Amino acid sequence: MSSKPTRQAMPERDAGDSTADDAEQLTPGAVLDHGRYRLLEKVGTDPRCDAQLWRAKDGVLGRDVALTILTGDRSHSDAASSARRTLERAMHASTFNHVGVARVLDVVTPAPGDPQGVLGVVIAEWTHGTDLIELIGDGPLQPGTAARLLQPLAAAVEAAHHAGLVLGADHPQRIRVTPEGEIRMAFPGPLSTASSSDDVRGLGAALYLLLTGRWALDSAPEGLATAPTGPDGTIVAPRTLRPTVPLELSTVALRALGSPDTHGTTGGVRTGAAVLRVLEQHATFDASAAETQSAPAGGGTRETNEVWSTQDPKPDEVKRKKLAISVGALAVATLLVVGWIVANLIGMFAGNPEAEGPSVTLGEDGNTQPTPEQAAPVQVTGGTPFVKEQTPDSPGKIGNLFDGDPSTSWATDSYNDQFGNGFKSGTGTVLSFSAPTTVREVVIDSPSAGTVVEIRAADGTSPNLDASPLLGQQTLAAGKTTIPINAAQPTQNVIVWLTQISPSDGKYQSRINEISISGTAA
């Protein structure tokens, strides 16, 4: 791991050294940077670099912010140099925008009036929720839940490395989980000697922690259990501690940490993308557990059992729910077919002209024109997350859009800016049908008024958005909004594309409960 120059020097201070006393002045109510930032709550420490992690109030903009306060002896050249390098790296990361990382707002050096023990401060947007230690306070998470929660952070690590940046995602109190159930780097500011491999090791350690409740890297915070080691000194596999952990998740955690797996194989995982691929394969969402939970002791909002449950799912209950949904869908489809047959038989024997052939109407020129076929509900057979850039939003909840249950929902991530401001043009999903269909109408049930939605025909589940014909567009109202569709050709896939999302608690986020589609078979 990284070197610890300031930590090694601090115990040698003599009685006349005031650095430690000055650092202790960092208490709730203290102010930094000419009085702009007022400290509210200390939420963690990173002893590797003598950093304190605080929630503070920005007195100029009136919002909460996350402060990574670097402390040490200003006269100690190693400490000052290390802090300066950390501040420089944090400044470079200020242009990086990703849902898996809190945005760096500013980097400041000590100001007159700041305690002498302060070497610099990294200011980032505040991440509501809880840190990883509090998250596993009631025990390890379900493996599928752990995989889903960690996806945004893994995607952020990969994107940062492509941009030539290091996040420093290798400390459990620097990483937080949002009320929406997504893990992100909340306190940016990598150690002066941190490398991209440390970020990957951090992903492995975070996954190990969520699966086992134990931390597998050095400098574990006080009270957090460390990962056990075998007789040969190697870290014990998560699957050994908890047999319900899938082999692939257990293996990727060990290999990201650089430890041998259960077969003695080492290495092989050196990128965030490699970790992300395994997480995507094992991420799950249990729709039967979508009940609101009470907040954890350390703060945050427990939205669903699925996000916060520490117990493994019961396969029988899941199977029963899936069977019930399947039987219900089959019954509805059977009734529709029987009704259609009966209607046609009645029309035929009663001499109904509509049973003898297509009806006609008079056009403006007096000529007869065919009457369009009656649209019927279209069964959606699958949904695929779709974005043009960055990472998908809530990929594990796409199925809630067409499960027939308006009490479940899919939501975008929570963003600081509206789409189209240079970081992300939109987000959505590709919905698929069992057969080519001419779409006539789309009804969207959503509480997020102001959301702008486009419906586009798609040539597959991974289409080119710009080449996909626009079928309809509408700004959603709260409740159900009908989008008339002008489709000339049948399609087996449509893109539901959000180009604007709704303001929400000072940020931007939209939620959709259900999407219903009507059309005619090709």
Side-chain angles (χ1 to χ4, degrees), residues 55 64 125-130 176-180 182 184 300-301 505 507:
R55 179 170 66 92
D64 285 1
E125 60 185 357
W126 174 247
T127 300
H128 294 280
T130 184
R176 296 175 69 83
V177 59
T178 69
E180 294 75 31
E182 293 175 333
R184 71 192 314 223
T301 304
D505 296 329
K507 295 190 177 184

Side-chain angles (χ1 to χ4, degrees), residues 91-443:
M91 178 60 74
H92 291 157
S94 62
T95 58
F96 182 67
N97 200 327
H98 193 284
V99 68
V101 181
R103 185 173 54 174
V104 174
L105 304 174
D106 200 1
V107 173
V108 299
T109 54
D114 288 351
Q116 288 297 312
V118 174
L119 302 179
V121 185
V122 179
I123 301 99
E125 60 185 357
W126 174 247
T127 300
H128 294 280
T130 184
D131 66 35
L132 294 190
I133 299 176
E134 294 166 328
L135 176 62
I136 53 93
D138 293 331
L141 303 186
Q142 300 173 17
T145 300
R148 184 174 59 80
L149 291 178
L150 199 57
Q151 286 183 83
L153 182 61
V157 166
E158 180 64 14
H161 293 177
H162 275 295
L165 302 171
V166 175
L167 296 183
D170 56 354
H171 188 278
Q173 289 181 312
R174 286 179 178 254
I175 302 170
R176 296 175 69 83
V177 59
T178 69
E180 294 75 31
E182 293 175 333
I183 288 176
R184 71 192 314 223
M185 182 69 186
F187 288 90
L191 304 186
S192 60
T193 56
S195 65
S196 59
S197 62
D198 291 322
D199 280 341
V200 177
R201 293 183 67 206
L203 287 176
L207 180 58
Y208 195 104
L209 177 65
L210 298 182
L211 295 174
T212 68
R214 297 167 180 267
W215 186 246
L217 293 179
D218 297 334
S219 302
E222 184 177 356
L224 181 60
T226 58
T229 57
D232 59 353
T234 59
I235 296 174
V236 173
R239 187 175 172 86
T240 301
L241 299 176
R242 194 173 172 208
T244 56
V245 174
L247 176 61
E248 293 83 358
L249 283 179
S250 181
T251 298
V252 79
L254 285 179
R255 292 192 180 181
L257 286 165
S259 297
D261 60 21
T262 53
H263 300 291
T265 305
T266 59
V269 175
R270 298 181 178 86
T271 66
V275 177
L276 181 60
R277 281 193 295 271
V278 177
L279 296 178
E280 290 173 340
Q281 293 169 2
H282 291 273
T284 60
F285 176 76
D286 182 5
S288 66
E291 298 178 357
T292 302
Q293 296 295 293
S294 60
T301 304
R302 296 189 173 184
E303 290 194 334
T304 65
N305 282 337
E306 194 278 331
V307 172
W308 301 96
S309 175
T310 61
Q311 301 300 318
D312 291 324
K314 299 178 180 178
D316 290 343
E317 294 180 3
V318 176
K319 289 179 181 178
R320 281 197 296 269
K321 179 175 178 64
K322 290 182 177 179
L323 180 60
I325 293 173
S326 300
V327 171
L330 180 60
V332 171
T334 302
L335 288 174
L336 289 174
V337 172
V338 171
W340 179 83
I341 293 174
V342 171
N344 277 273
L345 287 174
I346 293 174
M348 181 176 66
F349 287 107
N352 188 342
E354 293 185 1
E356 299 173 2
S359 63
V360 295
T361 58
L362 291 178
E364 294 181 357
D365 57 1
N367 295 324
T368 60
Q369 297 180 346
T371 299
E373 296 181 49
Q374 184 68 33
V378 177
Q379 183 181 6
V380 177
T381 58
T384 305
F386 182 74
V387 289
K388 289 182 65 177
E389 56 272 301
Q390 296 198 31
T391 58
D393 298 57
S394 303
K397 297 185 180 181
I398 291 294
N400 292 348
L401 292 172
F402 51 89
D403 63 356
D405 183 359
S407 67
T408 63
S409 64
W410 167 88
T412 69
D413 296 328
S414 180
Y415 294 94
N416 294 311
D417 300 300
Q418 182 61 267
F419 286 158
N421 287 343
F423 74 103
K424 199 169 189 176
S425 59
T427 188
T429 179
V430 178
L431 300 182
S432 302
F433 317 135
S434 59
T437 301
T438 302
V439 179
R440 299 299 183 191
E441 182 179 273
V442 175
V443 178

Side-chain angles (χ1 to χ4, degrees), residues 30 58 405 455:
D58 183 339
D405 183 359
I455 307 297

Side-chain angles (χ1 to χ4, degrees), residues 476-500:
L476 302 185
K480 293 184 178 181
T481 300
T482 299
I483 306 176
I485 300 300
N486 181 22
Q489 301 292 332
T491 180
Q492 200 163 345
N493 305 278
V494 294
I495 306 171
V496 180
W497 182 244
L498 280 61
T499 60
Q500 288 190 37

